[in-house]
Structure formats: structure tokens, C-alpha cells
Amino acid sequence: MLSFVFSCSSAPDKVGNLDLIKWRSDRGGCGDVRKGLEKEFVKIQSELLGKHIDDVGYMLGRPDIQQLGSRDQKFYVYFLEKGIHCTDITQKSAAQKVILRFNAVGLLSEITFQARPL
């Protein structure tokens, strides 16, 4: 089980074997670093479920895309690989991505992987 103390500490370096420093450094997945971390992300996703949106953002870094959904849901999107979004952020990208859905009280309730454009 994960436990985090964030108030005065720096962001964690790892969760399980997922290297969060590498994850956070690959903005937009444009360096293709996150693609190599996908298997480790899959292994720890059950540990992320139920975490607060602030804690998840602190660990994984700012999302590549943030969307608001119905009933105060929020979605964080992290690209796992290069795509058209790397050269033109206004284009819808079919690159592989992980989508985190947070419920109305800000808890991570679902993690999905998707390759179709948003």
C-alpha cells in the first residue's frame, strides 16, 4: 500500500518499479520514454486508484491534457508515445495514452488506455 507525505517533501522518485522522474521528464510522451515505462505503470495502477487528484498530479506531474466531464468529473491524459500532438498541440492525436478519471470528490476512479483521438 502506498502512503505519501507531500506537505514539505519533494515528489517521489518511484512507485513500485515505475521511475517517476523519467515519467515526469517525458512531457507529452514526445521523447518516447513513457512508452518504455508502460508495463511498470500497469503494475502499479491498482495502487493509484482511490488517490486524490492532487496526489496523483504530484506523483505523475502535470497532465498533458486536462478535461472536465459531466457531474464534476475530471480527466487527466498522459501520452505514452510520440504523435502529431508533439509538433502541433491543436491536432487530435491517435498516439497511445493513459486516461485517468477522477470522480466529483477528486478521487481516481478509473484508468484506461486508448489509442484513438480524444
Side-chain angles (χ1 to χ4, degrees), residues 40-93:
E40 294 305 325
F41 185 93
V42 168
K43 289 178 185 176
I44 61 106
Q45 67 181 349
S46 64
E47 297 177 48
L48 295 175
L49 290 170
K51 297 290 180 211
H52 191 269
I53 191 169
D54 294 338
D55 296 337
V56 172
Y58 190 71
M59 286 188 310
L60 299 179
R62 189 177 63 163
D64 301 321
I65 298 173
Q66 183 175 345
Q67 295 180 329
L68 295 175
S70 62
R71 294 185 226 144
D72 294 326
Q73 295 182 84
K74 291 182 182 173
F75 296 87
Y76 277 9
V77 178
Y78 294 93
F79 286 101
L80 298 174
E81 62 187 3
K82 282 185 200 177
I84 187 112
H85 65 278
C86 293
T87 55
D88 185 356
I89 195 65
T90 64
Q91 297 295 311
K92 292 186 176 190
S93 181

Side-chain angles (χ1 to χ4, degrees), residues 2-13 15 20 24 48 51-60:
L2 297 174
S3 62
F4 300 100
V5 177
F6 294 127
S7 59
C8 295
S9 61
S10 59
D13 295 344
V15 173
L20 295 174
R24 289 188 299 260
L48 295 175
K51 297 290 180 211
H52 191 269
I53 191 169
D54 294 338
D55 296 337
V56 172
Y58 190 71
M59 286 188 310
L60 299 179

Side-chain angles (χ1 to χ4, degrees), residues 23 26 29 31-40 79-82 96-97 113:
W23 179 276
D26 190 21
D32 269 342
V33 174
R34 287 183 187 161
K35 189 64 178 167
L37 301 172
E38 183 177 1
K39 286 182 183 176
E40 294 305 325
F79 286 101
L80 298 174
E81 62 187 3
K82 282 185 200 177
Q96 180 72 15
K97 60 191 81 56
F113 293 83

